[in-house]
Amino acid sequence: MTDGFRSARIDFEASERFVSLRRALEVESVGINQLTLAPRERGRIHRHQRQEEIYLVLAGTLTIVIEGEPHELGAGTVARVAPHVRRQLVNAGDERCVVVAVGAADGYVGRDGEAFASWDETEGRPPQELPLPDDLPAS
């Protein structure tokens, strides 16, 4: 990544079925894509050799068919599919379905976060050692 921060917007009106967010964000450790399915569209039946996938439904209803068995996921639902499991993404509904798909392999790096009590601190501590900050005052 060329610097320490990148952002991208989900395009709820995208005409493309597949939009790479990984490139826009300059992500190196995971794949992340926006998938937009028009009513009645469906993707290929597929699986992965090593990569597990997470699907976050942002709009519409996604029917994810797992080894021939359909599962409906509404907006706000997140699901994980193991690498070797065959799946197909289907929009059986009458409205657009927008999904963010995240894929990765070779393990999760957990508990590597550092927390700071203020912006002046330069040495981080394990997050569980610091209390949460006060909420912002009401406006």
Side-chain angles (χ1 to χ4, degrees):
M1 184 156 95
T2 56
D3 60 25
F5 176 79
R6 285 277 186 257
S7 67
R9 290 190 60 78
I10 300 299
D11 182 357
F12 287 94
E13 303 302 319
S15 60
E16 296 293 322
R17 189 182 283 205
F18 180 93
V19 176
S20 172
L21 298 173
R22 183 183 62 79
R23 286 187 208 103
L25 296 170
E26 297 184 21
V27 173
E28 298 173 0
S29 57
V30 299
I32 181 166
N33 302 295
Q34 175 185 328
L35 308 174
T36 302
L37 296 171
R40 317 306 294 170
E41 279 187 338
R42 59 186 174 166
R44 295 175 188 88
I45 298 168
H46 75 285
R47 68 180 175 195
H48 295 274
Q49 291 181 15
R50 295 181 19 241
Q51 178 174 269
E52 66 182 343
E53 287 185 311
I54 306 294
Y55 300 99
L56 171 59
V57 182
L58 299 178
T61 300
L62 175 68
T63 300
I64 185 164
V65 183
I66 302 295
E67 295 293 347
E69 183 179 333
H71 301 269
E72 278 196 4
L73 306 175
T77 304
V78 63
R80 178 244 183 204
V81 181
H84 62 280
V85 175
R86 292 180 302 166
R87 81 287 314 253
Q88 182 179 37
L89 306 181
V90 178
N91 181 359
D94 295 326
E95 60 184 63
R96 293 164 62 84
C97 180
V98 179
V99 177
V100 170
V102 178
D106 299 328
Y108 163 72
V109 177
R111 297 273 178 179
D112 71 340
E114 292 182 304
F116 302 84
S118 75
W119 292 104
D120 297 327
E121 287 187 0
T122 57
E123 294 293 320
R125 293 179 269 168
Q128 60 272 22
E129 290 182 10
L130 281 178
L132 290 170
D134 293 337
D135 293 335
L136 295 173
S139 53

